[in-house]
Each structure stands twice: as structure tokens, then as C-alpha cells.
């Protein structure tokens, strides 16, 4: 087994504080143009790894708040020899607002974000109206936000929040969608008979 040192995969981690200005120049960071796809909250990086490996012509950016998850994901990318993925240790809502030019992102994906079910925590939910407006700005024409959750009420609330902006065509919620790549969490819940919901905001 090859020992992996952190220096070997530092290229994957982007620290916005080291750049003189925002939004970032992603074609310069990747060294090429290409559709820009973002995953918010990538966990161990399994889904992002497979997505990047299957789409070498596209550029991928992942947001995560867990340093341990960042380390696990970067090891995955290094072992696969991936060149088309970068990760940022920052809240995805901040990252989408500050790090991308308007109309520059092709797709945003969020797999099973914490629904924060208590009313006192609702401001922490990913699908607040402000986030919908941010996505309406940074997504290109025809771009989409794909939300996957195991909570139907959360999917329905997302539909309501995004519909309020008047900027999206909405598809779903679709129960138990067939996806070419599934997260470990998704596979576990499906094996236990739990329903999964997918909504696309275009």
C-alpha cells in the first residue's frame, strides 16, 4: 500500500483567503474551461469522486464544513488521480454567494442536507429564500439545482421557497429516483425501505 502524505493532495483544497479578489477565476484554478458543477456538503467525498471520474471534461467544486471529511475526500481524489475536482472548507451558502460569478455554474447538487426540523433552527436550513436567490444568480440559463432528501416535508418546503422567487421551473419531488451514482447514506436507507426524494430546480 502506498503511503499518502497530505502534501500530495494539497492541490485539491482551495483557501479563498489566499486570493486577492472574489469571485474566484475557476478556469484559471483548473487550468481550463469546462462546465462547473458544485456539490454542497460532500461528506466523505464518495459521490463527488465518482461524479468527477465519470465526467473528466467537467470541473467540480465541493463545499464541506468537516475537516475530517475534507481529508478523507482528498485521499479519494488522489488515489483516483483526479485532476478535475477542488474542495473548499466553508459553508456552502457563503461559498455559492462569494466564490462564483453570476451565470457561471452549470449544476449544484446537495445530497441529504441536514433538514434542521426544529422551528428555532429553520434559519440554518439550506433552502431558505436567500439561498434560492443566490442560486438564481450564479446558475447559468438552463442550469439546475438537484436536491436529494429522505424527508418529504423538507422537499416540499424547498419547492415552496424556490417557487417564491419566480426564477425556477421545478420538477418533483420524485420518490425513489434512479440515479447512476448514489451516496452511502442513500443506499443504506433504500435497503431499509425508506423513501428517497429528488427535486430539480431549473
Amino acid at each position: 500500500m502506498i503511503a499518502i502524505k497530505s502534501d500530495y493532495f494539497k492541490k485539491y483544497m482551495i483557501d479563498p483567503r489566499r486570493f486577492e479578489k472574489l469571485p474566484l477565476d475557476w478556469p484559471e484554478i483548473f487550468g481550463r474551461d469546462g462546465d462547473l458543477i458544485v456539490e454542497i456538503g460532500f461528506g466523505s467525498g464518495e459521490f463527488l469522486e465518482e461524479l468527477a471520474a465519470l465526467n473528466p471534461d467537467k470541473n467540480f467544486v465541493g463545499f464541506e464544513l468537516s475537516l475530517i471529511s475534507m481529508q478523507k475526500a482528498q485521499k479519494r481524489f488522489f488515489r483516483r488521480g483526479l485532476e478535475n475536482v477542488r474542495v473548499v472548507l466553508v459553508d456552502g451558502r457563503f461559498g455559492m454567494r462569494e466564490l462564483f460569478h453570476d451565470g457561471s455554474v452549470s449544476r449544484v447538487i446537495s445530497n441529504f442536507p441536514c433538514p434542521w426540523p426544529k422551528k428555532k433552527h429553520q434559519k440554518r436550513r439550506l433552502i431558505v429564500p436567500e439561498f434560492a436567490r443566490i442560486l438564481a444568480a450564479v446558475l447559468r440559463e438552463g442550469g439546475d439545482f438537484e436536491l436529494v432528501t429522505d424527508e418529504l416535508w423538507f422537499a416540499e418546503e424547498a419547492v415552496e421557497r424556490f417557487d417564491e422567487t419566480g426564477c425556477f421551473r421545478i420538477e418533483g419531488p420524485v420518490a425513489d429516483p434512479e440515479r447512476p451514482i448514489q451516496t452511502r447514506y442513500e443506499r443504506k436507507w433504500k435497503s431499509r425501505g425508506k423513501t428517497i426524494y429528488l427535486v430539480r430546480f431549473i
Side-chain angles (χ1 to χ4, degrees):
M1 181 179 293
I2 299 175
I4 298 179
K5 297 181 181 179
S6 61
D7 288 349
Y8 294 169
F9 51 80
K10 275 184 177 178
K11 65 180 181 181
Y12 296 114
M13 189 166 178
I14 300 297
D15 185 350
R17 296 171 299 179
R18 296 186 177 182
F19 292 81
E20 293 183 358
K21 63 179 181 177
L22 301 177
L24 298 180
D25 187 338
W26 290 103
E28 182 178 349
I29 289 172
F30 283 102
R32 66 176 191 176
D33 288 318
D35 286 350
L36 197 56
I37 300 174
V38 179
E39 184 182 8
I40 297 176
F42 55 77
S44 65
E46 179 185 24
F47 183 89
L48 188 57
E49 172 195 4
E50 293 301 324
L51 200 60
L54 288 173
N55 298 274
D57 59 323
K58 296 178 172 58
N59 298 328
F60 294 86
V61 179
F63 291 116
E64 182 54 68
L65 289 173
S66 166
L67 185 57
I68 293 176
S69 293
M70 293 286 287
Q71 293 170 340
K72 288 181 179 179
Q74 289 175 93
K75 287 180 180 179
R76 285 180 176 275
F77 306 152
F78 179 80
R79 290 189 177 110
R80 291 288 289 272
L82 298 177
E83 299 289 340
N84 61 332
V85 59
R86 300 292 186 273
V87 290
V88 190
L89 187 66
V90 74
D91 187 302
R93 292 170 297 182
F94 170 86
M96 294 307 306
R97 186 181 73 233
E98 301 295 337
L99 305 186
F100 299 98
H101 290 279
D102 287 355
S104 66
V105 178
S106 297
R107 168 171 282 192
V108 178
I109 303 168
S110 185
N111 292 305
F112 304 97
C114 180
W116 296 104
K118 293 183 180 180
K119 188 173 182 178
K120 65 180 180 180
H121 292 153
Q122 61 184 352
K123 288 184 178 179
R124 299 183 184 183
R125 294 175 191 163
L126 181 65
I127 46 79
V128 294
E130 180 188 0
F131 182 67
R133 290 191 291 270
I134 291 169
L135 288 186
V138 301
L139 282 170
R140 63 170 174 76
E141 188 71 25
D144 71 289
F145 169 49
E146 183 175 291
L147 173 68
V148 180
T149 179
D150 56 337
E151 297 287 354
L152 179 57
W153 70 264
F154 186 72
E156 291 174 339
E157 183 173 303
V159 168
E160 185 177 341
R161 294 286 84 80
F162 276 71
D163 191 47
E164 290 172 356
T165 69
C167 297
F168 296 90
R169 176 168 57 87
I170 302 171
E171 296 180 353
V174 176
D176 292 327
E178 289 297 327
R179 300 206 297 163
I181 305 173
Q182 297 180 2
T183 68
R184 183 168 21 177
Y185 186 89
E186 186 173 358
R187 294 194 299 271
K188 180 181 77 172
W189 283 124
K190 280 191 172 183
S191 71
R192 298 181 182 181
K194 192 172 179 67
T195 302
I196 304 302
Y197 302 95
L198 181 147
V199 192
R200 291 183 69 225
F201 304 91
I202 305 158

